[in-house]
Amino acid sequence: MLERVKERLESFGYALKEGDEVLLNFSIQKVENTIKNDCHVSSIPDGLANIAIDMAIGEFLTTKKTFSPDEIAGLDLDFAVKQIQEGDTNTVFATGEGTLTPEQRLTAFLNYLLTHGRDEFSCYRSLRW
């Protein structure tokens, strides 16, 4: 999963730096544990793999934003779509319109990465005795 996380992160315009792999591994383990505990399973279901990748990236970038904000200052958010609507959930990334500051846009993007797809956990949840 580490290689897929790296590829996805690079697709967002983030250039991996020395020492990032340790934080990436921690973020992946944190997300894996969250999904395993929430679903009561021993491994990540295939159907949640892409969600886990985005959540791990969200964890990684949130940590970077908190402790090393200069390292993600050049993150390219122009790739983000203007609006995502799924059911009654609506996420808007206002790119290039000046309606949101870059900080607000990054925060919205991180929230999306960390929460999008959590509703799918219930499809893979097992009963715990």
Side-chain angles (χ1 to χ4, degrees):
M1 180 146 114
L2 177 61
E3 290 307 312
R4 291 183 65 197
V5 169
K6 286 180 180 180
E7 289 172 6
R8 179 90 163 128
L9 193 55
E10 289 172 353
S11 75
F12 294 145
Y14 181 82
L16 291 167
K17 297 165 184 57
E18 189 174 328
D20 280 350
E21 195 162 316
V22 172
L23 182 55
L24 278 174
N25 279 320
F26 179 80
S27 298
I28 290 168
Q29 287 178 331
K30 184 176 179 183
V31 168
E32 285 178 346
N33 288 337
T34 297
I35 293 172
K36 289 176 189 178
N37 290 335
D38 197 345
C39 295
H40 312 296
V41 295
S42 59
S43 63
I44 303 292
D46 289 340
L48 296 179
N50 290 332
I51 292 168
I53 289 168
D54 278 354
M55 287 177 70
I57 291 169
E59 288 288 341
F60 174 80
L61 291 176
T62 299
T63 303
K64 285 288 191 176
K65 178 183 173 193
T66 303
F67 296 106
S68 305
D70 293 339
E71 291 186 16
I72 60 169
L75 195 63
D76 180 17
L77 295 178
D78 290 338
F79 68 90
V81 294
K82 166 117 173 91
Q83 183 172 359
I84 298 171
Q85 178 133 9
E86 190 169 319
D88 61 350
T89 303
N90 189 20
T91 305
V92 176
F93 298 101
T95 58
E97 294 183 9
T99 57
L100 293 177
T101 66
E103 175 78 16
Q104 291 170 325
R105 197 171 23 191
L106 177 61
T107 299
F109 179 61
L110 293 176
N111 287 336
Y112 172 80
L113 288 172
L114 291 168
T115 60
H116 179 73
R118 278 188 170 264
D119 56 333
E120 294 181 38
F121 286 13
S122 61
C123 297
Y124 299 94
R125 194 164 285 134
S126 298
L127 292 176
R128 185 184 295 183
W129 293 95

